[in-house]
């Protein structure tokens, strides 16, 4: 590639990258503006005056402390439940042969294509019958159930790429099934667990529909995604506080991704190699 073409390619890629990053930069800048500056500057990124108190106002006015704690609890429980169940199911499907296995995998895969809107009513009835409606456990249960198919297939593909000699060596040393899974197989699947855990955490953290439906009767159980609507009303929207609340809700995701990104790269490299 000649130098002019390489330069044009870099300019084009930088432009595309900036287009992707611009909404986030705009939200950061708008979160530091006054309401008047927000209207005057429009799509400008740099606020004339930095209103750092917007973050404190957003945190206190919308009960973000409570919503933040709810979101952390729900997201962590969802990640733990999803990883444990999908790892066990993926290992069973990857290493064991039984009658109807292909049919079962096909049925499980077909359920992955069902939109959430078509299943929300029966799921709501089940949660209500279990007496879990308007509890944190209802949101966790439904989110874990929604991530089982994708996670199971991810783990199944990852376990199939592992050499069987590892399991045979562990069995020769006297390891039972539970010991083999929890002390040998599961520790070796840390890259995939980190990747799936990251995706699950982000999905749970940003989820709006399920927390809204299953905690509708108890506003104190809302998550950050639902709590952002505290800044909107029928007549007006507090845009600067809404942007500040959005940045507060995005910050933990950025931190988690930075910490777990090397595991994501390892898992993707392993999947490509397999």
């Amino acid at each position: 590639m000649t130098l002019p073409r390489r330069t044009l390619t870099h300019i084009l890629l930088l432009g595309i990258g900036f287009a992707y990053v611009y909404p986030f930069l705009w939200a950061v800048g708008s979160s530091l503006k006054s309401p008047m500056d927000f209207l005057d500057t429009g799509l400008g990124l740099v606020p004339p005056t930095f209103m750092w108190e917007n973050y404190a106002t957003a945190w206190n006015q919308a009960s973000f402390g409570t919503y933040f704690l709810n979101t952390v609890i729900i997201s962590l429980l969802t990640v733990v439940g999803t990883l444990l169940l999908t790892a066990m199911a993926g290992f069973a499907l990857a290493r064991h042969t039984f009658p109807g296995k292909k049919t079962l995998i096909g049925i499980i895969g077909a359920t992955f294509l069902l939109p959430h809107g078509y299943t929300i009513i029966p799921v709501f009835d089940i949660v209500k019958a279990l007496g879990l409606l308007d509890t944190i456990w209802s949101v966790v249960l439904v989110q874990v159930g929604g991530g089982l198919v994708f996670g199971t297939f991810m783990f199944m593909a990852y376990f199939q790429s592992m050499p069987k000699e590892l399991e045979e060596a562990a069995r020769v040393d006297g390891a039972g099934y539970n010991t083999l899974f929890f002390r040998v197989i599961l520790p070796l699947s840390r890259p995939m667990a980190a990747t799936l855990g990251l995706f699950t955490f982000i999905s749970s953290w940003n989820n709006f529909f399920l927390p809204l439906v299953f905690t509708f009767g108890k506003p104190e159980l809302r998550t950050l995604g639902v709590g952002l609507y505290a800044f909107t009303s029928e007549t007006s929207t507090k845009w600067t506080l809404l942007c500040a609340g959005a940045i507060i809700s995005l910050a933990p995701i950025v931190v988690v991704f930075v910490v777990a990104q090397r595991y994501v790269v390892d898992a993707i490299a392993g999947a490509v190699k397999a």
Side-chain angles (χ1 to χ4, degrees):
M1 183 181 293
T2 62
L3 183 60
R5 290 184 59 186
R6 182 180 300 175
T7 303
L8 290 176
T9 301
H10 288 173
I11 294 174
L12 178 62
L13 292 177
L14 286 174
I16 295 174
F18 180 76
Y20 274 99
V21 176
Y22 177 81
F24 176 75
L25 297 178
W26 178 84
V28 173
S30 298
S31 69
L32 297 171
K33 297 177 182 178
S34 66
M36 186 60 66
D37 290 337
F38 180 87
L39 297 176
D40 291 341
T41 57
L43 297 178
L45 297 179
V46 181
T49 304
F50 288 82
M51 304 288 292
W52 296 102
E53 59 269 24
N54 286 346
Y55 286 92
T57 303
W59 182 273
N60 296 321
Q61 184 172 324
S63 301
F64 260 38
T66 301
Y67 299 155
F68 189 89
L69 181 60
N70 293 340
T71 309
V72 169
I73 294 174
I74 290 174
S75 298
L76 292 180
L77 290 176
T78 300
V79 168
V80 172
T82 301
L83 291 181
L84 183 61
L85 294 177
T86 56
M88 291 190 293
F91 181 67
L93 291 175
R95 285 294 190 254
H96 297 281
T97 302
F98 51 87
K101 176 181 176 179
K102 293 184 178 179
T103 303
L104 177 62
I105 293 176
I107 294 174
I108 294 175
T111 62
F112 183 69
L113 303 176
L114 293 176
H116 289 294
Y118 288 92
T119 58
I120 190 64
I121 294 179
V123 170
F124 183 87
D125 289 339
I126 293 174
V127 171
K128 184 178 180 180
L130 293 174
L132 297 176
L133 194 62
D134 290 331
T135 66
I136 284 180
W137 290 108
S138 64
V139 183
V140 173
L141 180 64
V142 175
Q143 290 188 157
V144 169
L148 289 180
V149 177
F150 177 74
T152 297
F153 283 139
M154 291 280 285
F155 270 113
M156 182 177 68
Y158 193 82
F159 289 143
Q160 285 175 340
S161 67
M162 286 185 176
K164 292 185 177 181
E165 289 77 11
L166 293 173
E167 301 173 36
E168 295 172 356
R171 293 186 185 279
V172 169
D173 291 337
Y177 188 85
N178 292 334
T179 302
L180 171 66
F181 177 76
F182 286 104
R183 295 192 177 183
V184 179
I185 299 300
L186 199 56
L188 291 175
S189 64
R190 282 181 296 179
M192 178 53 65
T195 302
L196 182 60
L198 176 63
F199 292 155
T200 304
F201 182 85
I202 293 175
S203 176
S204 176
W205 190 276
N206 292 329
N207 204 321
F208 171 81
F209 183 60
L210 295 180
L212 175 65
V213 171
F214 292 100
T215 63
F216 190 80
K218 287 189 176 181
E220 65 272 18
L221 296 179
R222 289 175 178 173
T223 59
L224 286 173
V226 181
L228 287 174
Y229 268 73
F231 302 118
T232 63
S233 64
E234 296 181 358
T235 57
S236 64
T237 300
K238 300 176 182 179
W239 291 107
T240 56
L241 298 183
L242 182 61
C243 290
I247 298 303
I248 292 174
S249 65
L250 285 173
I253 296 178
V254 175
V255 173
V256 170
F257 181 80
V258 170
V259 173
Q261 63 176 336
R262 70 183 184 91
Y263 293 104
V264 176
V265 174
D266 291 342
I268 294 176
V272 172
K273 182 179 179 180

